Amino acid sequence: DGAYGRTRPSGPVLPIAIPDGERVSNVNVPMWRYASVAGRVVDESGDALVNVPVRILKKSTVGGKTKFNPVNQDTTDDRGTYRVGSLEPGDYIVVVPIQTTPSEMPVMVGAEGASREMVAVRAVAMSADGGGGMPVMLNGIMPGGGAPAGLGEDGRPLAFATVFYPNVTTSARATLLTLNSGEERAAIDFQLKPVPVSKVSGIASGPDGPVSNLQLTLVPAEADDAASSIEIINGFTDDQGRFTIEGVPPGQYILRAVRTPRVAPGGPAQVTTMSQG
């Protein structure tokens, strides 16, 4: 879309003053061609990875803080190649989300004081030991199930962890791609390597005891407040305040408990965690 007065795509516009009986000329409306990003996704042996989602996140500044929001995506074909088009000129990063199952399940979650957004939740189990209800199935698998990348020598499940271009693990270290009008950026390639995944479990408690239905977020420490929704792993406590988050790649994380309007009023929750593997 174009509009008079714009100096960048989706930028502010200017009004046109038309005096009574007069004609206004030289009203130029700039438009920008869409750009595209293309590349290939392979495994550690160089073999093509098929049906792998590749997402494009656009850089924006909100309240003086940098944010990366998903704008478009594609999946790799039988050669491992992808192409994402319909991109306005601007600054972007490219990411391949964690591959624990063939598909992801988008879930609406809320945070106090923030708008609700779509995120991908990785195999979060509530009451995984069976003592407080049935486990929750997300991403198409039951928590504790096998990973498509196989098992390590120690029997731990493997997964292709989230990778940002050029093969880094957090958005904080991703290369910013500046796309110009009509530009076709090629050779944005990824090589995924299987890594062992762990689970984080614990109990959330408040002044009145266990806190149920409490949202928990596991955020890469390096990204912290600037982390994209793709990097954040979410979970919820069960009716006894217990939680288990599975499919967590190696790294350093910040675990936060987020009280939402669904939770009864009370003091701040205390979270005790245990890491397995």
Side-chain angles (χ1 to χ4, degrees), residues 17-245:
I18 305 178
D20 186 23
E22 294 193 15
R23 177 180 297 177
V24 177
S25 59
N26 295 322
V27 178
N28 298 318
V29 177
M31 300 184 72
W32 289 265
R33 293 185 178 92
Y34 282 126
S36 66
V37 171
R40 192 164 184 257
V41 182
V42 299
D43 64 13
E44 72 279 11
S45 301
D47 295 328
L49 289 174
V50 181
N51 201 32
V52 171
V54 180
R55 297 185 177 180
I56 308 295
L57 312 183
K58 188 173 185 180
K59 178 184 176 182
S60 63
T61 302
V62 180
K65 295 183 178 181
T66 298
K67 298 291 184 182
F68 292 101
N69 301 309
V71 292
N72 210 343
Q73 71 174 35
D74 190 21
T75 55
T76 58
D77 60 16
D78 57 354
R79 300 170 297 168
T81 61
Y82 73 92
R83 182 182 183 277
V84 182
S86 300
L87 300 175
E88 292 183 345
D91 295 326
Y92 298 87
I93 58 176
V94 188
V95 58
V96 176
I98 187 170
Q99 300 300 298
T100 55
T101 61
S103 62
E104 291 180 337
M105 178 179 175
V107 176
M108 295 295 293
V109 301
E112 187 173 1
S115 60
R116 296 169 70 84
E117 62 179 342
M118 200 66 98
V119 299
V121 180
R122 268 82 83 183
V124 180
M126 300 195 315
S127 305
D129 60 359
M134 292 295 294
V136 175
M137 183 175 71
L138 295 178
N139 291 351
I141 62 171
M142 291 297 293
L151 299 175
E153 295 180 356
D154 57 357
R156 292 174 60 188
L158 302 176
F160 294 114
T162 297
V163 176
F164 292 83
Y165 180 79
N167 290 316
V168 296
T169 56
T170 67
S171 59
R173 291 189 283 134
T175 295
L176 197 65
L177 303 180
T178 299
L179 302 179
N180 299 314
S181 177
E183 182 177 1
E184 296 187 8
R185 187 72 63 91
I188 306 301
D189 301 330
F190 293 86
Q191 185 173 33
L192 307 187
K193 298 180 180 180
V195 297
V197 291
S198 303
K199 64 179 180 180
V200 176
S201 60
I203 299 175
S205 59
D208 300 324
V211 181
S212 62
N213 206 23
L214 181 69
Q215 180 186 338
L216 300 165
T217 61
L218 203 60
V219 184
E222 188 174 357
D224 198 5
D225 290 341
S228 64
S229 60
I230 291 176
E231 299 172 86
I232 300 173
I233 307 177
N234 293 270
F236 288 91
T237 58
D238 65 7
D239 56 358
Q240 298 184 33
R242 297 179 300 182
F243 66 91
T244 297
I245 304 176

Side-chain angles (χ1 to χ4, degrees), residues 7-21:
T7 59
R8 66 179 188 276
S10 302
V13 302
L14 295 176
I16 300 176
I18 305 178
D20 186 23

